[in-house]
Amino acid sequence: MAPSSSDLHSEADIVRLVDTFYARVNEDALLRPIFNDVARVDWAAHLPTMYDFWSSVLLGTSRYKGRPMAKHFPLPIAAEHFRQWLALFYASVDELFAGPKATEAKLKAQNIGAMFEHRMTPNPLSLLGNQ
Ligand code: HEM
């Protein structure tokens, strides 16, 4: 019988989630080149930043102080990349956890991702030339 998952509660859970998610990113044909070839991410620095980010979002610790949009604007990413990012995030949550906090993690990832994607999409009104 498969072991039943418990919900996400602790800092150790955040670390497991982030490590599992980025392991999937690093095996993904669409996303791996963006992180490793385009952005040349320093994983030893990025993973702790992401522990802080998700600890702030899900456990309310306010440890993350960065400005994430600035890191994403220069990247060649569009709807398909955001869809894949979210699919891998959902799969990671579902592999490890089940419960209200796990559901909250997926909802927040979806909302923050949609906001990033929206802000990165050129506004068609700008074509009309009204600044
Ligand atoms: C297609 C989707 C995405 C790609 C390819 C992507 C890629 C990246 C890259 C390359 C960095 C820079 C890492 C570095 O500093 O070396 C980064 C940073 C970051 N990303 Fe994403 N990202 C994506 C979506 C998201 C989403 C949906 C979230 C939030 C739910 C997110 C949260 C962050 C945060 C918090 C940082 C750290 C910024 C900082 O250094 O303060 N990303 N991302």
Side-chain angles (χ1 to χ4, degrees):
M1 201 167 74
S4 59
S5 309
S6 59
D7 206 356
L8 186 164
H9 296 291
S10 64
E11 294 292 343
D13 293 338
I14 297 282
V15 170
R16 278 172 74 211
L17 173 59
V18 169
D19 287 353
T20 301
F21 171 64
Y22 286 103
R24 284 179 184 255
V25 164
N26 269 305
E27 286 169 3
D28 186 80
L30 184 67
L31 295 180
R32 186 187 51 223
I34 307 279
F35 280 85
N36 292 304
D37 303 335
V38 179
R40 297 178 175 276
V41 167
D42 173 357
W43 290 102
H46 185 50
L47 292 176
T49 302
M50 298 313 292
Y51 303 151
D52 287 348
F53 176 74
W54 284 109
S55 166
S56 298
V57 170
L58 296 174
L59 304 179
T61 57
S62 308
R63 249 182 10 228
Y64 176 74
K65 306 285 184 208
R67 293 156 46 87
M69 271 320 294
K71 296 270 175 151
H72 298 88
F73 274 126
L75 299 175
I77 51 178
E80 63 190 302
H81 300 93
F82 280 101
R83 255 199 314 275
Q84 186 67 355
W85 188 105
L86 201 61
L88 297 184
F89 192 86
Y90 274 30
S92 305
V93 173
D94 289 339
E95 179 189 323
L96 298 170
F97 308 105
K101 209 73 189 169
T103 302
E104 183 188 332
K106 291 188 281 184
L107 264 175
K108 289 200 165 152
Q110 186 188 2
N111 290 341
I112 298 167
M115 192 256 296
F116 282 9
E117 188 180 344
H118 175 73
R119 291 188 58 191
M120 290 182 68
T121 307
N123 179 353
L125 285 178
S126 65
L127 295 174
L128 299 175
N130 53 21
Q131 316 291 334

